[in-house]
Amino acid sequence: MSILIDEKTRLLVQGITGGEGSFHAQRCMEYGTKIVGGTSPGKGGTVHLGVPVFNTVDRAVKETGADTSMIFVPAPFAADAILESADAGLSLVVCITEFIPTADMVTVLRYLSGGKTRLIGPNCPGLISPGKSKVGLMAGDIHKPGRVGVVSRSGTLTYEVVSQLTALDIGQSTCVGIGGDPIPGSTFAEILMLFEQDTETDVVVLIGEIGGTLEQDAAETIKNNMSKPVVAFVAGNTAPPGRRMGHAGAIISGAAGTAGEKIRALREGGAVIVENPARIGRSVAEALAKGSK
Amino acid sequence: MIKAQVYAGGRGKAGGIKQASSPEEAGKAAASLLGSRLVTHQTGAEGVPVEQVLVEEAVNTERELYLGIVIDSSRRLPVIMASEAGGMDIEEIALKSPEKIIKTWVDPAAGFQPFQGRQIAYGLNLQPELVKPAGELVGNLFRLFKTLDCSLVEINPLVVTMDKRLLALDAKVNFDDNALFRHPEIAAMNDKGQVDPLEVRAQDFGIKNYIKMEGDIGCMVNGAGLAMSVLDLLTLCGGKPANFLDIGTANNTERVVNAFRLFNSDPAVKAILVNIFGGMARVDVIARGIVEAYSQMDIRIPTVVRLAGTNVQEGECILEESGLKIIRAYGMQEAAEKAVAAVKNR
């Protein structure tokens, strides 16, 4: 098993004819992902990368039976693209696009809440279940099938961690990049629960960073709902203090956004904390050897 | 009242707001502020330049209130916040007695509702005749927040004057950078004088994510999370980063060349550390950018390069064939250690 995607995933690529969409769709196909079609308004009826292109997601889903979509649509139109795929009934939407206005995401997440569509991202590298399916930008060959789950807010830092794992011959069940935006479609806490329920995941690596309170929420979940060990790293201990104006940000989150506060919360929640980002792989190896939490 | 107009709060305590009782005094106060740099707890130690002041009537106030709107990331909704304790110490009050902050969240589907204005107005214990105007004020402020895609709107203090009027004595508005494409008129208002000159240069170079720091190792990394961990790692290895720089995902060599131009024009930089893990960004493009940078400028600072990810073989080949004297590393620990050593051995 794995979470969210596997060899049965039927993927639709929104924005398949664009430069990045095309490049990465091809990479996913080469990895073995079952891409069943793409959308590009105005190019319906054509064929791109050997798969049919549709004008609308609704049509594409009806014709191909797609259950997942990956979005490469430019930021001004990306919120619309997410809503279109949710409306078409897809169970998983992975939005790669970065720089989407926060107000657009407020509306999107309100629309999605309580529905059957899970959103990963935006501003994320996507996800991969090694050896089964890749729905994202990550280089497939740095991964290896196995029993460690990875969930991260950062794209490239995840690649770094995965390559450390693979170099130590530690494979991964699924690696999920939830994205770097202030309000992501899926949270650490939600993905942790999916890993907890996955019979083929033994240890989870959580890669957090400064800002927001997602890590604190994750710490609560680890404490109350998880039996599997979680190895955590929080980036930004030495980050320059962000400049800010006004007081509202501090009123709503206080000091919770700092790396120190997040590390404290995660440690209290029972996670194994790694200080050195170059040693995350080794810490996972130790956690695997130790077994339970 | 003479108020320094800068991109920072906390001006009152920092001496950026002065009172005058005659035009002469006002002139003196303005002269002392203009051309100075104001350091508040919201700026760095270098402060921000004061190039404009606002001169306004001093008002006799009965009460000082706080009113602000921001996105609450845990609820994923805009939150309107108000407090009876306006003025300078609002953050402390939020920390020590959070129950004194009144909050109401706006659903994007329903929009702002009149009851929310009443909730704030009654929560602030306003006198009956001010409840309606206060509710309208809150509604209008939310309209501003939404229409202009703000990330923050704040009136602090919102005062009740002796003659029972509501008056905004000071306000701050932040805009969502991602939504500026919808508001070119707002984008045009950006005052570059308020930002570090190297950061302005970075912006002009298309590098959106650059923050100047105190150290001597210029860092070019792709992705904010990896960039932060490289800073963390450098610090663990005894090094001092000169900057945070996320080169982003642009697949053009020009941005890489421009990053080197930034390092080369910063006298503090004694070594350069490039750590790229390609995903959306392709390693071959980065490598080509490094080679171009060396061909376009005289780079005498040692450069440590670590490449991995999408198209890494092509990238390695490009660097190999260039014959450039670049220090190579094959892991982030090795890269950080070599950069620290490069500074020490100079």
Side-chain angles (χ1 to χ4, degrees):
Chain A
M1 254 171 58
S2 51
I3 65 166
L4 298 166
I5 57 168
D6 58 25
E7 63 279 6
K8 292 194 285 292
T9 297
R10 297 176 67 80
L11 184 68
L12 182 73
V13 180
Q14 288 172 262
I16 194 170
T17 56
E20 299 294 338
S22 194
F23 177 84
H24 289 288
Q26 184 151 14
R27 287 289 176 112
C28 290
M29 275 179 183
E30 286 161 11
Y31 191 77
T33 307
K34 212 176 278 167
I35 297 186
V36 295
T39 60
S40 183
K43 294 188 181 144
T46 61
V47 171
H48 188 74
L49 304 175
V51 296
V53 178
F54 301 89
N55 287 322
T56 66
V57 176
D58 182 58
R59 189 85 223 146
V61 170
K62 283 181 179 136
E63 300 276 337
T64 65
D67 53 27
T68 298
S69 94
M70 172 164 68
I71 297 177
F72 282 96
V73 172
F77 318 108
D80 183 46
I82 299 169
L83 292 174
E84 185 182 5
S85 48
D87 180 72
L90 293 173
S91 57
L92 181 67
V93 177
V94 182
C95 184
I96 306 294
T97 308
E98 59 181 344
F99 306 128
I100 301 180
T102 308
D104 294 8
M105 288 314 299
V106 167
T107 306
V108 165
L109 295 176
R110 178 69 181 83
Y111 181 92
L112 295 183
S113 69
K116 59 170 268 199
T117 303
R118 171 174 295 286
L119 173 67
I120 301 285
N123 182 19
C124 80
L127 68 166
I128 182 170
S129 293
K132 296 172 180 166
S133 184
K134 167 172 115 90
V135 180
L137 318 172
M138 60 291 284
D141 58 8
I142 61 172
H143 298 78
K144 173 186 159 69
R147 305 183 62 88
V148 172
V150 179
V151 59
S152 170
R153 277 170 78 184
S154 153
T156 51
L157 180 54
T158 314
Y159 311 158
E160 171 64 42
V161 172
V162 167
S163 70
Q164 287 179 24
L165 292 173
T166 300
L168 293 168
D169 209 26
I170 301 169
Q172 308 91 41
S173 53
T174 303
C175 305
V176 185
I178 60 170
D181 271 14
I183 48 171
S186 292
T187 63
F188 277 136
E190 290 167 324
I191 303 298
L192 283 176
M193 283 317 294
L194 296 178
F195 279 129
E196 173 70 12
Q197 287 149 15
D198 179 33
T199 53
E200 292 185 357
T201 298
D202 296 335
V203 170
V204 184
V205 184
L206 182 152
I207 311 292
E209 61 187 47
I210 51 173
T213 53
L214 288 174
E215 290 77 6
Q216 278 85 349
D217 299 341
E220 281 295 304
T221 297
I222 294 168
K223 192 174 177 180
N224 300 326
N225 305 103
M226 285 198 72
S227 62
K228 297 177 183 176
V230 176
V231 175
F233 171 76
V234 178
N237 220 350
T238 55
R243 272 171 224 111
R244 65 195 177 98
M245 275 175 73
H247 303 283
I251 294 172
I252 198 74
S253 61
T258 63
E261 272 303 300
K262 288 167 187 294
I263 288 168
R264 194 188 53 77
L266 285 164
R267 186 173 277 137
E268 274 180 23
V272 177
I273 303 296
V274 192
E275 308 270 353
N276 180 338
R279 290 189 54 87
I280 298 170
R282 299 216 164 275
S283 300
V284 175
E286 286 158 21
L288 277 169
K290 202 175 150 213
S292 70
K293 185 168 154 186
Chain B
M1 301 299 294
I2 293 87
K3 298 177 164 180
Q5 299 297 292
V6 293
Y7 283 4
R11 296 170 305 166
K13 281 187 177 167
I17 295 174
K18 296 185 188 297
Q19 196 160 4
S21 51
S22 69
E24 292 72 36
E25 270 185 54
K28 268 188 203 156
S32 74
L33 286 171
L34 287 167
S36 70
R37 292 187 80 87
L38 191 65
V39 180
T40 84
H41 75 286
Q42 293 187 359
T43 67
E46 74 283 2
V48 282
V50 182
E51 280 157 2
Q52 296 177 56
V53 293
L54 175 69
V55 181
E56 61 182 6
E57 178 194 356
V59 185
N60 287 323
T61 63
E62 191 179 274
R63 297 177 65 201
E64 296 204 339
L65 312 167
Y66 172 91
L67 180 62
I69 309 176
V70 70
I71 301 284
D72 177 353
S73 58
S74 55
R75 291 223 194 176
R76 305 161 164 198
L77 291 172
V79 59
I80 305 174
M81 301 184 289
S83 168
E84 287 191 69
M88 298 199 283
D89 293 318
I90 183 72
E91 286 183 33
E92 210 162 305
I93 285 157
L95 204 62
K96 287 183 182 153
S97 21
E99 73 285 354
K100 287 190 181 157
I101 309 278
I102 308 148
K103 292 179 189 164
T104 179
W105 289 264
V106 182
D107 186 309
F112 177 84
Q113 298 295 317
F115 81 85
Q116 299 183 292
R118 292 197 298 275
Q119 218 171 324
I120 300 276
Y122 284 112
L124 289 170
N125 287 311
L126 291 173
Q127 49 258 65
E129 67 269 31
L130 283 181
V131 167
K132 196 162 175 261
E136 282 169 10
L137 187 149
V138 175
N140 288 338
L141 196 69
F142 185 78
R143 191 153 52 86
L144 167 79
F145 181 86
K146 187 163 166 49
T147 319
L148 292 182
D149 285 298
C150 299
S151 53
L152 165 107
V153 174
E154 186 173 86
I155 302 177
N156 186 31
L158 170 66
V159 301
V160 180
T161 61
M162 287 301 194
D163 55 353
K164 312 292 178 213
R165 286 178 301 138
L166 283 165
L167 195 63
L169 278 198
D170 185 30
K172 305 230 171 356
V173 182
N174 282 7
F175 300 94
D176 179 357
D177 287 344
N178 291 352
L180 282 180
F181 71 90
R182 292 200 274 247
H183 311 285
E185 75 290 359
I186 302 289
M189 286 165 70
N190 188 23
D191 178 0
K192 290 183 176 173
Q194 295 286 309
V195 185
D196 185 289
L198 270 173
E199 290 176 24
V200 173
R201 198 136 183 249
Q203 291 275 342
D204 292 343
F205 282 161
I207 300 165
K208 283 190 184 171
N209 229 338
Y210 171 87
I211 299 170
K212 178 81 185 108
M213 292 171 72
E214 308 288 313
D216 48 21
I217 301 173
C219 301
M220 180 177 106
V221 186
N222 65 322
L226 188 58
M228 283 191 283
S229 0
V230 166
L231 304 189
D232 293 346
L233 185 54
L234 270 178
T235 309
L236 282 174
C237 293
K240 291 198 182 86
N243 63 276
F244 167 92
L245 192 166
D246 168 12
I247 196 78
T249 52
N251 280 314
N252 62 64
T253 55
E254 199 188 320
R255 203 183 283 182
V256 179
V257 174
N258 283 339
F260 272 82
R261 204 160 271 147
L262 272 180
F263 298 145
N264 227 18
S265 64
D266 181 352
V269 173
K270 303 278 189 288
I272 298 171
L273 170 57
V274 178
N275 188 347
I276 301 292
F277 214 120
M280 192 94 149
R282 297 169 210 165
V283 169
D284 54 324
V285 180
I286 304 280
R288 223 172 287 132
I290 296 171
V291 175
E292 260 176 50
Y294 270 85
S295 73
Q296 286 183 26
M297 63 196 100
D298 182 17
I299 299 169
R300 299 185 178 183
I301 329 162
T303 300
V304 180
V305 177
R306 184 272 176 127
L307 302 173
T310 308
N311 292 2
V312 64
Q313 278 84 14
E314 292 91 323
E316 296 282 356
C317 282
I318 290 164
L319 284 191
E320 208 56 53
E321 284 163 13
S322 74
L324 291 170
K325 279 187 191 158
I326 287 170
I327 306 167
R328 312 299 310 280
Y330 300 92
M332 74 189 290
Q333 179 84 31
E334 186 193 353
E337 283 168 2
K338 283 186 169 170
V340 173
V343 171
K344 281 199 182 127
N345 299 339
R346 256 169 74 85

